[in-house]
Amino acid sequence: AAQIVNEVLPQQLPGRDVDADKQVALFAGALPGRKLLGAAVKLMEDASCKVSVPPTQVCCGQPAYNSGDRKDATAIAKQTIAAFRDFDYVVAPSGSCAGMTHEHYPALLAGEAAWKREADELAGRTYELMAFLVDVLKIERVAARFDGRVTYHDSCSGLRELGVKAQPRKLLASV
């Protein structure tokens, strides 16, 4: 993921009407593609966020975790915590990455008090993109137009682990 992040986006992105109080990190995870990551950044910048992409971030560790490799998942969790330590918010376009960080890092690090504390703190600052826009920034509509039908499918992790259901529908209804 770090290679993808470095190829796709510069470490610091210029913002429009940036509010210095909102230090937001984009958690790109394993999502490739300039278009998707650029769209996520644009949504947050349009909401006056200063968006950074920490170059030391890696995959959230969910593949290792889901396959039972707790050792590698724990190492990845620690690297992720360190990468996002200095940000007010961590925003992931992927419900799976946000869910892994929010729900599973604290359990993975439960046996190490200092890391558990940091995992809990990171979990409290980590959001799926739509939840961040609607619940934190109180965005009610997006400036978009689409002439056609849209079918929306909930992210399994976003829905089950984070309760993200109404937020994307609210923003889609404004299109």
Side-chain angles (χ1 to χ4, degrees):
Q3 180 182 357
I4 292 169
V5 169
N6 290 330
E7 286 177 14
V8 175
L9 296 169
Q11 183 177 356
Q12 183 65 50
L13 302 162
R16 295 176 291 284
D17 302 319
V18 171
D19 178 351
D21 292 333
K22 297 176 188 171
Q23 295 294 319
V24 179
L26 177 68
F27 189 178
L31 292 174
R34 186 176 299 270
K35 192 171 185 177
L36 175 63
L37 296 174
V41 169
K42 182 179 183 326
L43 285 168
M44 291 187 285
E45 285 182 342
D46 286 351
S48 298
C49 294
K50 183 177 183 179
V51 182
S52 298
V53 183
T56 58
Q57 67 176 291
V58 294
C59 168
C60 68
Q62 188 178 49
Y65 181 82
N66 287 346
S67 67
D69 183 355
R70 297 302 190 258
K71 181 181 176 188
D72 283 345
T74 299
I76 291 167
K78 289 176 179 179
Q79 184 172 350
T80 301
I81 289 167
F84 294 112
R85 191 173 275 136
D86 297 327
F87 294 92
D88 298 311
Y89 300 102
V90 177
V91 180
S94 164
S96 296
C97 292
M100 179 68 188
T101 306
H102 194 270
E103 295 297 311
H104 301 290
Y105 281 11
L108 269 175
L109 298 165
E112 301 178 55
W115 282 108
K116 167 73 162 90
R117 223 177 356 269
E118 287 201 63
D120 287 337
E121 289 171 6
L122 179 62
R125 300 182 277 118
T126 300
Y127 296 88
E128 182 275 340
L129 177 61
M130 297 298 110
F132 180 71
L133 293 172
V134 173
D135 299 340
V136 176
L137 300 180
K138 307 300 183 198
I139 303 293
E140 295 187 5
R141 54 185 309 111
V142 291
R145 179 181 168 90
F146 181 76
D147 294 319
R149 289 183 171 224
V150 174
T151 299
Y152 177 76
H153 176 24
D154 292 302
S155 154
C156 295
S157 293
L159 178 63
R160 293 183 183 130
E161 294 178 339
L162 303 171
V164 176
K165 182 173 182 172
Q167 301 92 328
R169 287 168 174 80
K170 182 175 192 166
L171 295 181
L172 281 171
S174 74
V175 175

